[in-house]
Amino acid sequence: VPSSSTSHRGSYHHGNLTQALTEAGVALARDGGPEALVLREAARKVGVSATAAYRHFDGHSALKEAVKDVCQERLRAHMAATIAQGEPLPDPAAESLRKLRALACGYVAFARAEQGLFRTAFCKIENLQEPTDLELLESPAYMLLAQVLDETVATGAMSPQRRPLAEAVAWSGAHGLAMLIVDGPLVCFPEEAIQLAIHATIDVLIAGFQH
Amino acid sequence: VPSSSTSHRGSYHHGNLTQALTEAGVALARDGGPEALVLREAARKVGVSATAAYRHFDGHSALKEAVKDVCQERLRAHMAATIAQGEPLPDPAAESLRKLRALACGYVAFARAEQGLFRTAFCKIENLQEPTDLELLESPAYMLLAQVLDETVATGAMSPQRRPLAEAVAWSGAHGLAMLIVDGPLVCFPEEAIQLAIHATIDVLIAGFQH
DNA sequence: TGTACATCAGTGAACGCGCGTTCACTGATGTAC
DNA sequence: TGTACATCAGTGAACGCGCGTTCACTGATGTAC
């Protein structure tokens, strides 16, 4: 019966059940994806009755939403880390392309390393009203991408005429690649072919952005 | 209690229950995706006991597999139709690019029009051994794509150095686009932005293939 | 051509499972006086 | 500083649901002689 909470250990009141349940849910999603995110199981993991979860979440959907948020943030963090861990290049144009490349690699690498979390980050949540507007595009991951794309234009590494909707273009390439490798027909590719496919895709995208 | 079978109507023996159940399963997948593909419900639709399905399928997974195959074929057919319905161009290079473009458009259009079937075409099937080898790449859809890509190289519309793994590159772009639009963060985009995103993605891919 | 019988293709009841959720409840906490 | 009491945060039993699957069965079909 693990608990990462620092207070109220073993007492009747848990202390921070909201976070504990979310973390347990993330653990479930990690191996097993969104289908494995089961409210009762999360409660079991925390060592609490299933009913207790209803004090903190408005049912299963709400828990799923919280877990999904964590997964999205993890993805964003992994992309940012991939950018940060590379060696910056002196030439600004080359540097902006290095970042873009790192972004895509980080995206795909996260999907491969944490396929459960990745799939959860994009899972459907029932009974959720669509945000109708483009507010979703203010998500951190999207803004990170937009910022790097702006940089490629500013440094001349990307043709300005390609800039509109370039977020969707780049995202599509990385997302499709990740899905096909993780979940789709490319799963049976040998590792080296997968590596080649990843870099071929990124190369074509960048070449396309430049013309 | 509909049945598209032409023989044995109303009799104790159905005549072609295998196909009838598959069709019912496709109908379920069509609205509702793979999660909605329920063996008992398919049997109900056909007007037969759930047990009867076990005479024709080795359990739920086998039915799912059959339905998935149909979905993949529908997708391929839609892509082929999209190629065929366009006006052929006199210039061979332009014509090969037109086909490639049509292929991508058809892919995304199918995903949007038949999101349930599309998702089912790529769904996971449990208890299924991986085909280990690249046999899956002999699927009709893949061969159609490969053939068009060969044509773009032969006509000079695509740089030969881009040819290796170009299937994966093109497929990734189209697949990611489809997923993001149908299931992902782009669902809330207005229609016109979606159209722009589709064409921007295809344009970038083709521009990338040429350099 | 007729009949016995193996085989095929269905039936319907039942099982166990695990889920999300609700209910009436009780133990712990903290605040007013 | 002590105590009454409202409120908060848990419990555990139960519900209904629909699923995939199994069982013993029966009605229909077709083939051998």
Side-chain angles (χ1 to χ4, degrees), chain A residues 5-60:
Chain A
S5 170
T6 53
S7 60
H8 297 262
R9 279 285 215 139
S11 75
Y12 188 88
H13 282 60
H14 181 279
N16 197 354
L17 194 46
T18 303
Q19 190 189 328
L21 285 170
T22 304
E23 283 172 6
V26 169
L28 290 174
R30 186 175 164 155
D31 32 65
E35 310 85 24
L37 175 44
V38 165
L39 184 142
R40 294 179 81 110
E41 180 66 23
R44 236 172 273 138
K45 256 177 124 84
V46 176
V48 108
S49 74
T51 318
Y54 285 81
R55 293 274 169 213
H56 301 268
F57 296 97
D58 187 18
H60 177 256

Side-chain angles (χ1 to χ4, degrees), chain B residues 5 14-26 42 46 48 52-57 62-63 66-67 70:
Chain B
S5 172
H14 181 279
N16 197 353
L17 195 46
T18 304
Q19 189 189 329
L21 284 170
T22 305
E23 283 172 7
V26 169
V46 175
V48 108
Y54 285 80
R55 293 271 170 216
H56 301 266
F57 296 97
L63 174 60
V67 171
V70 172

